[in-house]
Amino acid sequence: MNTAPARLGKAGRAELDFLRCGLAIAAGLSAASALAQVNYATPYAITTFAGVAPGSTDGLGKLARFNGPTGLALDAAGNLFVSDTFNETIRKISPTGEVTTLAGAVGETGSADGMGDSARFFGPEGVAVDGADNVYVADLANCTIRKITPAGLVTTLAGTAGQFGAADGTGGAAMFLSPGGVAADALGNVYVADQGNETIRMVTASGVVTTIAGSPGQSGSTDGPGTVALFENPDSIALDSSGKLYVADGGAGTIRKMTPTRSGGIAGWSVSTLAGLPDTSGSSDGTGSAALFNQPTGLAVDLAGDIYVADQGNDTIRRITPDGSTTTLAGAAGQTGSVDGVGAAARFGMPWGLAVNGAGIVFVADTGNETIRAVSPSGVVSTLAGAPSSGSTDGQGSSALFTLPSGVAFDDVGDVYVVELGSSTLRKISPSGYVSTLAGTAFKPGSMDGTGPAAEFTGPQGVAVDPFGNIFVADTGNQTIRFVTPDGTVVTVAGQPGILGSADGIGGAAQFNSPQGLAVDSSGNVYVADAGNDTIRKITPSAEVSTLAGSAGQPGYVDGVGGTARFNLPTGVAVDGEGNVYVADEGNHLLRKIDAAGQVTTLAGAVGQFNYVDGMGSAAQFGGPGGIAVDSAGDVLVADGGLVRKVTPAGSVTTLAGNPGNSGSVDGTGGSALFFGLGALAVDHSGVIYCADEYNHTIRKGVLAFASQPMSQTVNTGSFLVLTTELAGNEGFQYQWQFDGVNLADGNGISGATGPQLVLSGAAADNSGNYVCVVTGPGIVTESNVASLVVEHSSKPGMLIGLSGRGFVGTQDSILIGGFYIAGTTSATVLIQAIGPTLSANPYNVANVLLHPKLTIHQSRNGQDVVLYSNTGWGSSPVLRAAAAAAYAKPVLQPGSDDSEVVLTLPPGGYTAEVSGADGGTGVALCAIYQLP
């Protein structure tokens, strides 16, 4: 029997359950209130560094792309319906293999009813089709059951979006908690595996909801009538031709059978266990309880009464005859991949939903591979639609493929190291983005020491690099810590393969229980988040293992010294330059600190409180803190579900990137960036963050975002030139402008050399060249774009054709816009103002002014709107006041004014100046645009 926590033995399913639980909780808040609790004070710009993310393309067969397909259902005509969960859409695959989007809009979450792409879903999972070809959807994060007519009209059949509970009732009066699977009968009744409530519910065609089996909030594996029976995380549900129901009881690892009964004229259900042994995971074939499963997820029943199971934790498809005899139809237990083939030669990656047609062909939502697969009755596996975004291919940037990258670290020369839980390998990414496999052979788990492909790992989840470039790997599946030299030679330094325990000792005498996060200090000591033991372990350079904090097998929450402290599923660990160890205490939703004396304290988070709230200390809340890293300023960076968060040494928590309650694979800045299950983080000496985006199978890279960047220019001799840059946020950054690689200083017509605006008065030919601004701050060093300057003689100077206007500024799209155009062949220097508070003074005396205007400058490039600059304030610097006076600007803004203004030198073209309320405020404002002489 596997006694380790479920999420540690097989990260895929249980971690996805955790992520989906976060979606459901976030759905209980309005989108606005969820986002309002996040402070993007220092937003990071996220890009995909290596690997290929899933997609949302419609098309024929393998030309189509999916993002987390989970639920499947077939209609009588052979159309296959797919819940494309992380695209927030329902897709349809015709019998010819053509993939189209039936309902929902890609990446748009919500709960709107309507036709086609006007409808919105939030984490749709299970799907079913009734005899009239209506499609039913378990809209998991909305906690509702949706209905889609054959014409594509989406309505809500039962439940109310964002309201979760266990209430029976009609329509919106009923409540669900993370409904996962659905099945429909010929009468239009819908059966629901209400996963979060541990119950099975029935919804009539008119929307009346009743609980037919299980007891809300009561977990177990008890057989019996109706509500006497107990379930553990029931996920999928299927109906056979005789009216029996089958339930994949994922938490218990069993397949349950529900038989209709009638006693005294009252209809009911009797629950029994058809196959599997409760709370015992494995992959054995056999009859009844002799068969073992590992996180069974999807179910389907054929016309002969055979039941098919997506045994997700084993990455296999199983078949159960009506008498309970289980065999493995396709895939090999513990062998992850995306291989078509026959029987055990085929490979799957987290198979989820199933459907079976009249010919006995089983269709599989192969979630980890982002594909739809087909399995013939004889076990021949083929790929019907989609293309895997996961794999283990070496190559440059997006040509490389990963499978569940779970740990990331970097060395002093800029190489990034990645361990992959899915492929059981150690990968290396060069500074240029080239990916190679340093040790292990993809999808060949084992425990052998050796060099390069001769070495073997099993589900590694943590990696760290010491000061000498040696790599340490938490080989989670083997319960060991491995040592890897820079040339790829692997040696086991602590623990014994397959031996699970908590013993301290030297080398192989020590024992671990699902070790995950790793960190190395400057002396070569290795710190281990021993998750299954709920302890933090320490390994000295001589391989002596001791328990630094916590007590094995005693989870809880206690601050204290050494063994008196208690943790609950610690998964991430990091160490700073002073020897303080930081712990992501995932089960308690906390960030903890262990000082050099072994004293454990809580740095941030509220024990047992699951949310995404920025704040100080216990006022902050985490969803599921996992991988952590410490930057050179001593700030702790935390991978929190789909967010990257920062915790200062004082315990102040802010969010750098990601969007609470939303997942995906979107590059962007701050809240516009989306992740799907961050596994780990690393940060280099210049403050660049590397993220293992586990379920997107990619490595992402984050740098501090620029609110504005300098632009290349062509100007006339004698021009007044301004180059502008600024990092987003309020960290008190320092700026240093360079000309052709040499630091500039004020003087000789130059001012602002150490500020965000560089001013050149009277540009001359020798000012032509490349300008860049180096920006430094706590723990970061970064550079602006390079702006090339050409100074020339011209008889056609830039000329401003502009518009200034005054109007009322409201919220959202109710803003004030001033458009202007620069004609000619050379750049023009312009002063742009967004004036609010100054309008209230004499001689203007305007009432209800906009108290804190925000000024944003836009330009259309290649049909796309590009934000060039965004400012609030700028403090009315002497440079700006002098520029305003030179342009005869009225009113001249005073020092300390909350009005906003900027001086820019822009090349010819059209621009838009947008005035909005910096804090969502409203009021009267003036947008003024002037050309400087």
Side-chain angles (χ1 to χ4, degrees):
M1 179 174 178
N2 182 6
T3 59
R7 70 172 299 279
L8 303 174
K10 180 71 178 179
R13 176 50 199 265
E15 288 191 5
L16 281 174
D17 282 343
F18 180 81
L19 289 171
R20 294 182 308 150
C21 178
L23 291 178
I25 290 175
L29 307 169
S30 70
S33 67
L35 289 175
Q37 299 178 82
V38 170
N39 171 25
Y40 297 98
T42 312
Y44 267 60
I46 303 296
T47 56
T48 301
F49 186 48
V52 180
S56 61
T57 309
D58 288 342
L60 184 63
K62 296 180 182 179
L63 296 177
R65 294 293 183 270
F66 300 90
N67 187 358
T70 54
L72 289 182
L74 277 164
D75 67 12
N79 296 298
L80 189 63
F81 297 89
V82 183
S83 57
D84 199 4
T85 302
F86 295 100
N87 276 324
E88 311 295 348
T89 56
I90 306 302
R91 314 285 289 280
K92 178 181 177 181
I93 307 176
S94 72
T96 61
E98 182 71 25
V99 179
T100 56
T101 300
L102 177 65
V106 175
E108 297 288 336
T109 60
S111 62
D113 291 339
M115 289 292 297
D117 60 5
S118 67
R120 295 291 182 270
F121 300 90
F122 195 3
E125 189 173 305
V127 290
V129 182
D130 68 12
D133 291 336
N134 296 300
V135 178
Y136 298 91
V137 181
D139 199 3
L140 183 141
N142 276 323
C143 297
T144 56
I145 306 302
R146 314 290 290 279
K147 177 181 177 180
I148 310 174
T149 67
L153 177 63
V154 179
T155 56
T156 301
L157 179 64
T160 299
Q163 301 294 314
F164 48 89
D168 288 341
T170 300
M175 289 192 289
F176 301 88
L177 180 57
S178 300
V182 288
D185 65 19
L187 300 176
N189 296 307
V190 180
Y191 301 90
V192 181
D194 195 5
Q195 191 177 71
N197 282 319
E198 316 279 5
T199 57
I200 307 301
R201 319 283 290 278
M202 185 177 84
V203 188
T204 68
S206 60
V208 178
V209 179
T210 55
T211 301
I212 61 174
S215 182
Q218 299 294 312
S219 179
S221 298
T222 304
D223 290 337
T227 55
V228 172
L230 297 178
F231 298 88
E232 291 184 36
N233 204 31
D235 193 293
S236 183
I237 189 167
L239 183 72
D240 72 11
S241 58
S242 66
K244 299 183 183 69
L245 290 169
Y246 298 89
V247 179
D249 202 7
T254 57
I255 307 303
R256 313 290 288 279
K257 177 180 176 180
M258 296 178 56
T259 305
T261 62
R262 185 169 291 275
S263 177
I266 300 175
W269 297 85
S270 176
V271 180
S272 59
T273 301
L274 177 66
L277 185 62
D279 301 317
T280 304
S281 62
S283 61
S284 303
D285 289 339
T287 299
S289 61
L292 295 179
F293 301 87
N294 187 356
Q295 293 286 347
T297 304
L299 287 181
V301 186
D302 68 14
L303 296 177
D306 289 334
I307 303 101
Y308 298 88
V309 182
D311 195 6
Q312 190 179 82
N314 284 319
D315 290 310
T316 56
I317 307 302
R318 316 286 289 277
R319 179 164 53 197
I320 309 173
T321 60
D323 66 356
S325 176
T326 301
T327 54
T328 300
L329 177 63
Q335 302 290 308
T336 301
S338 182
V339 179
D340 290 343
V342 180
R347 295 290 182 269
F348 299 89
M350 286 170 47
W352 201 302
L354 299 181
V356 60
N357 68 12
I361 296 175
V362 180
F363 298 93
V364 183
D366 197 7
T367 307
N369 286 316
E370 316 295 350
T371 55
I372 308 301
R373 316 284 290 281
V375 187
S376 76
S378 60
V380 177
V381 179
S382 58
T383 300
L384 175 67
S389 59
S390 63
S392 189
T393 305
D394 291 341
Q396 183 72 38
S398 61
S399 67
L401 294 177
F402 298 87
T403 299
L404 299 177
S406 50
V408 61
F410 74 95
D411 64 18
D412 288 339
V413 297
D415 294 314
V416 178
Y417 297 90
V418 180
V419 289
E420 290 185 75
L421 184 146
S423 72
S424 293
T425 55
L426 173 63
R427 314 286 291 279
K428 178 180 177 180
I429 310 176
S430 72
S432 67
Y434 186 82
V435 180
S436 59
T437 301
L438 181 62
T441 298
F443 307 114
K444 184 185 176 184
S447 60
M448 292 290 294
D449 289 341
T451 300
E456 296 172 343
F457 303 92
T458 299
Q461 294 195 54
V463 62
V465 182
D466 72 11
F468 307 102
N470 299 302
I471 306 109
F472 291 88
V473 175
D475 197 2
T476 309
N478 280 321
Q479 314 296 340
T480 56
I481 307 300
R482 316 288 290 278
F483 174 87
V484 187
T485 62
D487 69 353
T489 299
V490 180
V491 178
T492 302
V493 295
Q496 294 185 45
I499 304 299
L500 182 151
S502 62
D504 289 339
I506 296 177
Q511 295 175 353
F512 300 89
N513 184 351
S514 298
Q516 288 201 33
L518 290 184
V520 184
D521 67 18
S522 58
S523 300
N525 296 299
V526 179
Y527 299 90
V528 183
D530 197 6
N533 280 323
D534 299 301
T535 56
I536 306 302
R537 315 288 291 279
K538 178 180 178 180
I539 309 174
T540 67
S542 59
E544 182 176 355
V545 180
S546 60
T547 301
L548 178 66
S551 181
Q554 297 189 43
Y557 168 64
V558 178
D559 285 340
V561 178
T564 65
R566 296 290 182 270
F567 300 89
N568 185 3
L569 197 62
T571 53
V573 65
V575 60
D576 66 16
E578 297 179 357
N580 297 303
V581 177
Y582 299 90
V583 180
D585 194 1
E586 185 172 320
N588 283 321
H589 308 292
L590 303 173
L591 181 65
R592 315 283 290 278
K593 177 182 176 180
I594 310 172
D595 65 18
Q599 175 70 47
V600 178
T601 55
T602 300
L603 183 62
V607 63
Q609 297 297 309
F610 177 106
N611 212 322
Y612 303 102
V613 179
D614 289 345
M616 178 65 73
S618 60
Q621 293 181 18
F622 295 94
I628 59 176
V630 181
D631 68 18
S632 58
D635 296 322
V636 182
L637 304 174
V638 183
D640 190 15
L643 303 180
V644 179
R645 313 203 45 199
K646 181 176 81 170
V647 186
T648 67
S652 176
V653 180
T654 55
T655 299
L656 305 181
N659 195 312
N662 289 284
S663 62
S665 180
V666 179
D667 289 345
T669 299
S672 66
L674 295 180
F675 304 90
F676 184 17
L678 290 175
L681 297 176
V683 58
D684 68 16
H685 298 303
S686 63
V688 176
I689 301 171
Y690 297 90
C691 313
D693 196 359
E694 193 163 354
Y695 296 108
N696 277 321
H697 312 296
T698 54
I699 305 301
R700 314 284 290 280
K701 182 178 179 180
V703 298
L704 279 174
F706 279 83
S708 59
Q709 290 274 20
M711 299 177 67
S712 295
Q713 311 287 338
T714 298
V715 300
N716 292 317
T717 301
S719 292
F720 179 84
L721 174 72
V722 178
L723 295 176
T724 300
T725 191
E726 186 182 27
L727 274 178
N730 53 7
E731 295 285 343
F733 301 111
Q734 296 178 339
Y735 298 84
Q736 175 62 63
W737 287 91
Q738 295 180 345
F739 172 59
D740 287 341
V742 178
N743 286 349
L744 289 172
D746 289 351
N748 298 318
I750 295 175
S751 61
T754 56
Q757 281 197 323
L758 177 69
V759 178
L760 278 71
S761 299
D766 59 4
N767 293 130
S768 296
N770 294 321
Y771 292 80
V772 67
C773 189
V774 179
V775 187
T776 59
I780 66 99
V781 177
T782 189
E783 294 183 354
S784 71
N785 291 342
V786 176
S788 297
L789 175 64
V790 176
V791 182
E792 63 178 25
H793 293 286
S794 173
S795 60
K796 296 181 179 180
M799 179 179 66
L800 176 66
I801 303 171
L803 170 68
S804 299
R806 192 183 90 175
F808 182 81
V809 175
T811 58
Q812 297 182 337
D813 294 332
S814 179
I815 57 178
L816 178 62
I817 294 176
F820 63 98
Y821 188 86
I822 297 174
T825 59
T826 58
S827 300
T829 302
V830 295
L831 168 72
I832 308 169
Q833 297 179 320
I835 306 171
T838 297
L839 294 178
S840 65
N842 287 325
Y844 309 101
N845 300 314
V846 175
N848 190 28
V849 298
L850 182 64
L851 295 178
H852 195 184
K854 177 180 179 181
L855 178 62
T856 307
I857 313 302
H858 299 251
Q859 186 181 38
S860 179
R861 295 180 180 174
N862 300 319
Q864 300 292 320
D865 180 67
V866 177
V867 175
L868 301 179
Y869 305 98
S870 182
N871 292 322
T872 55
W874 282 70
S876 296
S877 70
V879 171
L880 288 171
R881 292 201 304 277
Y888 306 102
K890 297 293 183 180
V892 175
L893 304 184
Q894 299 304 312
S897 167
D898 282 332
D899 304 283
S900 298
E901 58 188 346
V902 63
V903 173
L904 303 172
T905 304
L906 299 172
Y911 300 88
T912 302
E914 173 188 291
V915 181
S916 58
D919 304 309
T922 62
V924 177
L926 173 67
C927 178
I929 305 162
Y930 303 89
Q931 181 174 2
L932 271 63

